[in-house]
Amino acid sequence: MDFGLVLQTDPPASQVVSLMKRAERNGFRYGWTFDSAVLWQEPFVIYSQILAHTQKLHVGPMVTNPGTRTWEVTASTFATLNDMYGNRTVCGIGRGDSAMRVAGRRPNTLARLGEAMEVIRDLAEGREAVVDGNPIRIPWIKEGRLPVWMAAYGPKALALAGEKADGFILQLADPYLTEWMVRAVRESAARAGRDPDALTICVAAPAYVTADDSPAALAHAREQCRWFGGMVGNHVADLVSRYGEHSDMVPDALTEYIKAREGYDYSHHGRAGNPSTDFVPDEIVDRFCLLGPAEAHIAKLRALRDLGVDQFAVYDMHDAKESTIDAYGTQIIPVLNG
């Protein structure tokens, strides 16, 4: 199983680079960041520094979207990094939540996302693609490689990921929902004539390693990670709006918890103590995240691995960033990959 580290690009950028270096030393193979131009610093600038100060770490956004940048700019940016540092980028992409909504735009349609994935990948790998009706090719790209991994929750998005993406990003670590969604993605890939097992499956969620499983330790870990249920809730609210409550199309295990949701303030997006997440119950934090002593993380990761998960990406937005990276490097990654 591969491991990734997910960070927000808060200033100073040097701290982001330092944590990514620490992650690589501890056995992480991927470094991911949020991509929301209004809320945080520009990630692609910081990727250049991360790649320059690591040896093998692959980097990318979790996730970018087709609306923030033009597609040829996105492709050229990835291709430039790959040319400089040897094909060490991954394009995580989705419809766009904070990046679009904070700027006053609606998330992209799935049709636009599906077209963008193909165009960005083709251009970044040196092939011709049609952009706004015009065939273009980036002439200087030689032997470019850009895997495109799509984030999804709903049935139509899961189907699109299976049809067109190289990997699937699921931003929660609940085994029941993971099994349901991975199956949907792979069934879609099979229907499209693709090899279902060729898709990389990446589960991303907060992880907080405690010294023990005492009530006090677990309560603190939950409060540090409760924000995640609010972030996922934005996407779940979109699904409920589209499919209604108790739909056969979306499991109640995903949608039931947002009944008390009353809106969302993006100024606290992805941060511990987010006041917009007080509706998230402890049960959801426990299901969606990895909390407790190292043994609890190992047990849940083994269950996820048995479901076909290839990578676990640690959202490290809490008060124990360094110790979580170190605990994974010394107590968890060696056991999973030993």
Side-chain angles (χ1 to χ4, degrees):
M1 177 179 267
D2 283 332
F3 288 85
L5 182 71
V6 189
L7 299 173
Q8 294 166 331
T9 52
D10 289 314
S14 59
Q15 178 67 7
V16 178
V17 176
S18 177
L19 288 169
M20 291 298 186
K21 290 168 60 179
R22 190 183 197 115
E24 184 177 59
R25 292 196 302 269
N26 276 282
F28 289 75
R29 293 192 59 233
Y30 287 79
W32 304 94
T33 74
F34 282 31
D35 178 16
S36 190
V38 175
L39 297 178
W40 300 288
Q41 292 186 332
E42 172 55 36
F44 286 93
V45 177
I46 299 172
Y47 295 157
S48 187
Q49 288 297 301
I50 295 171
L51 290 165
H53 288 87
T54 57
Q55 283 70 53
K56 296 181 179 180
L57 199 72
H58 288 68
V59 304
M62 190 175 280
V63 293
T64 193
N65 71 87
T68 301
R69 304 171 184 84
T70 60
W71 302 349
E72 69 273 17
V73 169
T74 298
S76 182
T77 304
F78 276 114
T80 300
L81 291 171
N82 283 336
D83 188 63
M84 293 172 69
Y85 300 106
N87 286 340
R88 289 166 54 197
T89 68
V90 181
C91 177
I93 195 167
R95 292 178 60 227
D97 177 32
S98 64
M100 297 297 287
R101 287 180 163 129
V102 169
R105 307 184 186 105
R106 294 173 59 85
N108 296 270
T109 65
L110 288 176
R112 179 174 171 83
L113 175 57
E115 183 183 359
M117 286 196 294
E118 294 182 327
V119 168
I120 290 169
R121 179 170 48 212
D122 282 345
L123 290 177
E125 294 186 346
R127 295 184 294 276
E128 182 180 281
V130 177
V131 179
D132 295 330
N134 300 307
I136 60 174
R137 186 178 70 85
I138 303 176
W140 52 263
I141 295 176
K142 308 296 181 185
E143 299 181 359
R145 176 79 179 103
L146 183 66
V148 176
W149 297 4
M150 179 183 156
Y153 293 107
K156 293 182 179 179
L158 295 169
L160 179 62
E163 290 166 5
K164 295 191 175 183
D166 301 301
F168 166 49
I169 297 172
L170 175 58
Q171 292 163 309
L172 54 79
D174 175 75
Y176 171 78
L177 291 172
T178 298
E179 181 177 19
W180 188 88
M181 293 186 185
V182 168
R183 181 171 62 249
V185 169
R186 287 186 166 152
E187 287 176 352
S188 172
R191 288 194 299 271
R194 307 178 71 201
D195 179 1
D197 295 326
L199 273 76
T200 301
I201 307 297
C202 175
V203 161
Y208 198 104
V209 183
T210 61
D212 54 47
D213 58 359
S214 66
L218 292 176
H220 179 76
R222 289 189 187 103
E223 290 312 310
Q224 288 295 306
C225 298
R226 196 176 303 277
W227 63 265
F228 185 66
M231 187 186 83
V232 174
N234 296 328
H235 303 282
V236 175
D238 287 344
L239 294 177
V240 171
S241 176
R242 175 179 292 272
Y243 296 104
E245 296 182 1
H246 307 297
S247 168
D248 293 338
M249 302 292 288
V250 184
D252 285 351
L254 177 63
T255 60
E256 188 74 15
Y257 82 98
I258 70 161
K259 283 185 175 180
R261 182 181 182 270
E262 296 181 349
Y264 190 83
D265 182 355
Y266 280 92
S267 66
H268 304 283
H269 189 56
R271 300 192 186 282
N274 185 338
S276 298
T277 61
D278 55 359
F279 71 93
V280 180
D282 288 353
E283 176 201 0
I284 288 295
V285 183
D286 292 346
R287 282 174 45 205
F288 285 10
C289 305
L290 275 74
L291 312 174
E295 294 77 12
H297 292 244
I298 291 167
K300 194 165 189 177
L301 288 167
R302 281 175 169 158
L304 292 170
R305 185 177 62 184
D306 289 345
L307 295 173
V309 174
D310 299 297
Q311 178 183 155
F312 177 61
V314 175
Y315 276 105
D316 205 22
M317 279 72 83
H318 46 56
D319 65 0
K321 293 182 178 67
E322 290 85 357
S323 63
T324 297
I325 295 169
D326 294 346
Y328 263 72
T330 58
Q331 302 177 59
I332 297 171
I333 294 175
V335 174
L336 269 296
N337 292 336

